[in-house]
Amino acid sequence: MIEIKKAAVFGAGVMGAGIAAQIANAGVPVVLLDIAAEDGDNRSAIAERAVEKLLKTDPAPLMHKRNAHLITTGNIDDDMALIADCDWIIEAIIERLDLKQSLYKKIQAARKPGSIVSSNTSTIPLARLTGGMPGDFQSDFLITHFFNPPRYLRLLEMVTGERTRGHAVNTIHRFADFRLGKTIVPCKDTPGFIANRIGIYWLQCGVVGAMDMGIGVEEADAVLGRPMGIPKTGVFGLLDMIGLDLMPHVLGSMAEALPEQDPFHEVFREPELINRMIGDGYTGRKGKGGFYRLKPEAEEKIKEAIDLETGEYRTAQKPKLESVAKAKKGGLRALVEHPDKAGRYAWWVLARTLSYAARLVPEIADDIVAVDDAMRLGYNWKYGPFELIDQLGTGWFADRLRGDGLPVPPLLEVAADRSFYRTENGRLQFLSTEGEYHDVIRPEGVLMLADIKRRRKPLAKNLSASLWDIGDGVLCLEFHSKMNSLNPFILSMIETAIDLVPKGYRGLVIYNEASNFSVGANIGLLLVAMKLRAWFAVRYLVRRGQNVYKALKHAPFPVVGAPAGMALGGGCEILLHCDAVQAHAETYTGLVEVGVGVVPGWGGCKEMLLRWSNNPDRRGGPMPPVIKVFEIIGMATVAKSAAEAKDLLFLRPDDGVTMNRDRLLADAKARALALAEDYAPPSAPRISLPGETGRLAMSMAVDGFRLSGKATTHDATVGKALAAVLSGGNTDFLETVGEDDLLDLERGAIDALARHPATIARVAHMLKTGKPLRN
């Protein structure tokens, strides 16, 4: 098996450039080539502009701006020699067979023997792509279908040919898994493969159904979004993101490729309204708007939605639908059984989409697991089609289809009122097309907490946290409060872990499999205490968190934090107190407390001062690290990747980064076991801080921001409180302060700020809207 040490991507469009960016994120040099520019002297301008766009795009395709230096640009006419030493060559050009095959001939002439070539196509069969190419090219060729944006969507659909070498498949599989963070789903060589075959049909059903049934775009998205575990963009919001101008091409390709008896043809049409919108430049977010837009020339941002009947825009409404409300408690069946128009629409779309998915197995994939994985990871559905059918009940779903005169797929008949998934003897199983259950097999080396929870009971559990034995003497602390916000129950479970681990275990991993590691402390508790003027409760909450986090830091066993997603405020602070962090690459972390009018109070100020003071690259004197921490916390800076978190010292230079989310727990466990060898807890540190002179300097800077209009009056109040903490209080650079001194300062600052009416207003506003208030 060769190692991918260098790659090349042909096609510098949004997808090709995004694929190149993700390869660079893996630390691998990559060549990005496009056609030669016809205008100007720079023939490689197209690829160069693509890299420039990567650096400006938000959300960022690059995990760190320095990764752009790993991308070498060029053009196909002049720079084919750049691919001579590439191990993997990816074609991501326009979906035209003639252009692809012409390019393949050039690649064949320039590539080294044994290099692997793949196409990012989603519509052209592999056999047609390689037709007429030499045998060695065919044996080195496969389809690797990425999803846009490649950094954030974890799905990689893989199609191999009869002549594709096993070593080539294994090499790309391993690289995409470990280095690119992808879940690889094997697909049959059919139009649209898995995710787009079902996803495009679902989108078309959503649009056609809404138009035919008189459903507004806001209503449709409210129904087809969160109640079904689908992102809140629903159908019309997603089409705005994709671009309406792409849909006629995609739909036309599918209509041409699919056989006449395919149900897609029953819903295929190109509505005149959409064609008119495209012609007028309303192509979605990249154009003047789409199904949604911001009202033109309005002084305030007013969101508008198009009326599907008249084609006119009107102010977008937040629909109040009884069926959607019922679904919050009654689940998916309560939604589709409800007689209101939204319930009828939900059933119309869901009946067709789910039965279509069931009809396509085993045509597009060998089993239902591949289909569910593809829809979850490619379209960000929370549940795959077969998991949704299980929520409805296979027998109920089949009976309802029959009652409506809709065909019942053979796979549903095979299920015969049995669920598609079950847990048997602690193992997750799926129903095969033969009607037998088989274990869901994880890739080698993958350790999932969900699987452990099927086999074991927790060692300890309360309303917000649990302790699990994950084997080899390592325990796992799992948060499971709403959005994993931190509260006294979680603090209590941390204390339980500190007491339990030394009694026969070797280490602790803090990890969960929710979308976010933790959004921080439950500020609702803080708001209640502030409104009641229960200042003793404020002080208690702060002191309790400080004591627990400090005890965790100095526990007689190694603690490894394993975050993924957001780790904000108190969630960031717990990571700062861990002996090591094994972070998923997509970890977004920061100390954001100033946004609600307070300062970090569970040791965040303390730990950041210690890290920046001990940074070997710091400038001399006590002020530079203090100023740096003041900037990071005062601006509520959030690292948008694990790589950025290392720059800000939220992560240490030697903290680990895992690209594949499914491998995070295994990596963190291995790190805990490595640390357990001859482990000794950290000693109590002391540092020198500038004291009053530093506080005055930072306060003057804050006043300058306020006077220039860059900070509000309360921003200045919070900034000065932060300056008082970070300067060390009553000290100077000839003395040292310890952890307890800094914790006292944090606690005093929060006690004072919590009494301020503007802080109460900020906390209340954040809880209500999820957004900071500038007051």
Side-chain angles (χ1 to χ4, degrees), residues 479 486 509-511 517-518 549 552-553 559-584 587-591 602 607 611 645 649-652 655:
F479 307 150
L486 303 167
V509 170
I510 304 176
Y511 165 89
F517 178 75
S518 173
Y549 279 24
L552 186 70
K553 176 180 178 179
V559 180
V560 177
M566 290 190 289
L568 304 176
C572 178
E573 286 175 301
I574 199 169
L575 298 176
L576 291 171
H577 286 80
C578 291
D579 294 290
V581 174
Q582 185 71 34
H584 182 228
T587 294
Y588 319 121
T589 188
L591 297 170
W602 285 355
E607 290 300 316
R611 292 192 178 193
L649 295 190
F650 292 134
L651 299 182
R652 303 175 185 86
D655 281 334

Side-chain angles (χ1 to χ4, degrees), residues 120-424:
N120 187 58
T121 185
S122 63
T123 59
I124 303 176
L126 185 147
R128 294 185 66 196
L129 290 173
T130 57
M133 294 300 295
D136 63 330
F137 184 90
Q138 294 186 35
S139 65
D140 292 335
F141 187 88
L142 64 156
I143 291 173
T144 51
H145 182 220
F146 290 80
F147 280 71
N148 195 34
R151 171 182 166 182
Y152 299 99
L153 292 183
R154 294 168 52 198
L155 176 63
L156 181 68
E157 293 181 323
M158 182 179 288
V159 180
T160 58
E162 292 182 359
R163 302 182 64 173
T164 308
R165 290 185 295 116
H167 285 305
V169 175
N170 293 338
T171 296
I172 299 305
H173 195 292
R174 182 173 179 81
F175 181 80
D177 178 344
F178 285 87
R179 303 296 296 277
L180 300 184
K182 300 299 178 184
T183 295
I184 296 88
V185 174
C187 305
K188 303 289 185 67
D189 193 11
T190 57
F193 308 133
I194 298 175
N196 280 346
R197 177 76 173 272
I198 296 170
I200 292 168
Y201 180 78
W202 165 70
L203 288 169
Q204 188 68 1
C205 284
V207 171
V208 169
M211 290 182 168
D212 290 349
M213 300 174 73
I215 303 293
V217 296
E218 309 101 304
E219 293 173 322
D221 289 344
V223 171
L224 299 184
R226 286 177 171 167
M228 298 182 184
I230 291 170
K232 65 179 181 180
T233 50
V235 164
F236 292 100
L238 178 59
L239 287 171
D240 277 356
M241 290 175 61
I242 295 170
L244 274 66
D245 54 324
L246 295 179
M247 292 311 294
H249 169 73
V250 171
L251 292 170
S253 296
M254 293 296 286
E256 182 181 349
L258 293 174
E260 291 183 5
Q261 67 272 22
D262 193 279
F264 174 83
H265 296 288
E266 297 175 9
V267 296
F268 171 61
R269 60 177 133 152
E270 296 182 32
E272 176 58 32
L273 172 63
I274 294 178
N275 289 332
R276 188 167 72 247
M277 290 170 68
I278 295 170
D280 292 341
Y282 286 96
T283 56
R285 294 188 183 183
K286 63 184 178 183
K288 296 189 291 185
F291 294 107
Y292 298 96
R293 73 173 186 182
L294 292 178
K295 186 174 183 179
E297 301 177 2
E299 294 183 3
E300 299 180 0
K301 288 185 177 180
I302 300 175
K303 186 177 182 180
E304 294 185 320
I306 200 166
D307 188 304
L308 296 177
E309 293 184 7
T310 67
E312 300 296 324
Y313 283 96
R314 49 170 174 72
T315 302
Q317 305 293 320
K318 187 174 182 179
K320 295 181 179 180
L321 303 167
E322 187 176 343
S323 54
V324 172
K326 292 286 185 182
K328 290 181 179 179
K329 289 187 177 180
L332 194 58
R333 196 189 290 191
L335 174 69
V336 299
E337 286 184 325
H338 200 280
D340 72 1
K341 66 175 183 177
R344 297 195 304 273
Y345 171 67
W347 168 248
W348 195 92
V349 175
L350 208 58
R352 285 156 179 77
T353 302
L354 299 185
S355 61
Y356 189 60
R359 181 184 185 275
L360 292 174
V361 178
E363 177 189 338
I364 62 173
D366 287 330
D367 55 56
I368 65 171
V369 177
V371 172
D372 282 346
D373 282 347
M375 295 311 297
R376 283 198 311 269
L377 300 174
Y379 276 73
N380 265 339
W381 288 15
K382 187 175 182 179
Y383 310 104
F386 295 94
E387 293 170 312
L388 289 171
I389 294 175
D390 276 352
Q391 290 182 29
L392 295 171
T394 56
W396 180 92
F397 184 58
D399 289 343
R400 180 81 185 266
L401 289 175
R402 290 190 193 96
D404 285 4
L406 296 172
V408 177
L411 190 55
L412 266 178
E413 301 282 14
V414 169
D417 208 20
R418 293 176 295 168
S419 64
F420 281 114
Y421 292 95
R422 73 177 187 182
T423 298
E424 188 75 10

Side-chain angles (χ1 to χ4, degrees), residues 546 600-606 725 742-750:
Q546 289 180 338
W602 285 355
C605 296
K606 164 180 70 77
V725 175
L742 294 171
L743 292 174
D744 287 343
L745 291 169
E746 287 183 356
R747 198 163 54 250
I750 291 181

